[in-house]
Amino acid sequence: MDSSARREKILQILQESSSAVTGTTLSKACNVSRQIIVGDVAILRAQGIAIISTPRGYQLVVPAAPGCMRVFVCCHGSDLMEAELNAIVDNGGIVHNVVIEHDVYGNLEGTLNLHSRRDIQQYIKRMHD
């Protein structure tokens, strides 16, 4: 499979998936290394395809569902983070991202897309690892 066909296959897998797809899953489906997938995703993004990386893998950006969006400003340590995230998802919310104010680098933003307690557990485990 050439690189163009591989990128089409990656896009097809992402379009058909209802949840995030890991780089490992994509690499196995395409018979290449995860690093090749990382490069292919970068090329797809450069072509204007809205792919985001989450703690659970890659996914296409879907238009926002009707509803409301709120920003929660917090100042606490990791000891209270899990309770806060659980409170949001337990009440039907989605944690889209986190923004950290850094004295030197300014605002650092990370996409999370946490929908459930399972997502939160995986996120916290990755942070500790």
Side-chain angles (χ1 to χ4, degrees), residues 5-17 21 26 44 60:
R6 187 177 59 245
R7 286 190 287 276
E8 285 180 28
K9 184 169 185 169
I10 291 168
L11 186 55
Q12 178 187 5
I13 292 169
L14 293 176
Q15 288 170 334
E16 293 173 355
S17 178
V21 181
L26 292 171
L44 289 168
L60 294 173

Side-chain angles (χ1 to χ4, degrees), residues 80-98:
L80 298 176
M81 177 181 59
E82 183 175 3
E84 175 186 66
L85 295 173
N86 284 332
I88 293 169
V89 300
D90 287 351
N91 287 287
I94 298 170
V95 181
H96 290 286
N97 65 353
V98 61

